[in-house]
Amino acid sequence: MGGFAFRNHPSESVLAPLWAKALALSEADGDAGLVVVTIDRVGLSTELMGSIETECEDRFGLAREKLVIFCSHTHSGPMDWPSVWMKDDPEEIAKVEKYSQWMVERVVDAVGEAIAHRKPASLGFSQGLAGFGVNRRRARPGCRHFPGPVDQDVPVLRIADAEGKNMAILFGYACHATSLAGYEISGDWPGFACEMIEGRHAETTAFFIPGCGADINPLPRLLPGREVALSKMYGEIMANAVDLTLSTNDSGKERPLSGPLTIRRGEAELFYENIPGEAEIAVLQQHFDPMMRRSGRDLHAMSKSPEGIPLSLKYPAWVMRMGDLLWIALSGEVTVDYALALKARYGWETTWVSAYASPVKTYFPSRRVWQEGGYEAGDCMVSSSHPSRFREDVETRILEMVENLVP
Ligand SMILES: [Zn+2]
């Protein structure tokens, strides 16, 4: 299972099934203009993302920039990179690879079905609120004085057929899927939310689109004996927030969205603060923490490769526009300040800021979080085979890239 470093053996049972879902959108008579995929898993490696993109391009002629894949970031789903407890055991690694390959095929099939089954539809956008996402940086010892920004908006994109019957409901929230931490497979609270929404709206597919919740947790959580009940409760709160949002649409709150549908992909170059030398890497390789030792091993291998240790990381993002709606999809684990900054810049009513798109496996702190320090600021990076944390300008570079895409 992926998400928690403390786990030391494989999953034991299935609490709820995992889903991959695909939505294809285009202008009338157009090619697939945009395909959105959601997958119940913690993340997606560069290799798996590449396989999905290549297959979709070969089979359906879908260009890479038109495919946006979100992982729900459930910490109760499968992993992408072998856990430390596997100790490089080839049998365990083979199991992960077998599942991953099977998952890729299911995702590509879903994309094909979505493209093939397009029919005339109308789209509407509205937003609600839900309150269980709490800034988790305040929960750490000595950090209660930290400012605790959150993004509690619940953006809802409703897609209905020609008769006005709902076909798909996409909803977003900026909060980790970490209300469960055991050995049972599930989509965590977003999975329960989707299940409830689909139960209430027959023949409708519910898609969870994660927001900038890198520093946000569902709280309270992990109360012994109450974990699953709490997780389902958060799912129900979210389903209720979506239903409340939809029920106010009659009063004209929902904005109908028309074309044109545009999508752009961009990349920012994010520089690491420090490239470790041989002596620093040797210290890592002797570290007491097995994750740090693995980082040391990976960095050592990179330093001996012809390319050497990378000086920077390429960071992709997508900007989509449909009618009034500006939908920004950022990669990786993005702290909440990004969503607040982008909505302040482009308008709170019609800007949707999502994250966890594409396979970037680390945190992206705002300048404020970077300066405060701690896990999301970059401490997490050294134990996950990055040379160091990013430079202080990481937020500036990401926001500039988005700014260049928006026009
Ligand atoms: Zn995370």
Side-chain angles (χ1 to χ4, degrees), residues 148-223:
V150 289
D151 175 11
Q152 297 182 325
D153 288 348
V154 180
V156 177
L157 177 61
R158 188 175 70 91
I159 301 173
D161 66 14
E163 284 78 51
K165 196 174 163 333
N166 290 336
M167 294 196 287
I169 294 170
L170 284 71
F171 66 99
Y173 196 53
C175 182
H176 261 76
T178 49
S179 62
L180 298 169
Y183 289 89
E184 286 185 299
I185 294 285
S186 82
D188 207 291
W189 67 262
F192 295 126
C194 286
E195 198 181 294
M196 277 179 211
I197 293 167
E198 290 174 356
R200 293 172 186 181
H201 301 265
E203 293 169 62
T204 298
T205 306
F207 295 78
F208 168 65
I209 311 287
C212 300
D215 42 354
I216 313 288
N217 264 346
L219 291 176
R221 63 172 190 153
L222 308 183
L223 185 65

Side-chain angles (χ1 to χ4, degrees), residues 73 75 176 333 356 363:
H73 202 50
H75 281 44
H176 261 76
E333 304 214 42
Y356 297 93
Y363 281 79

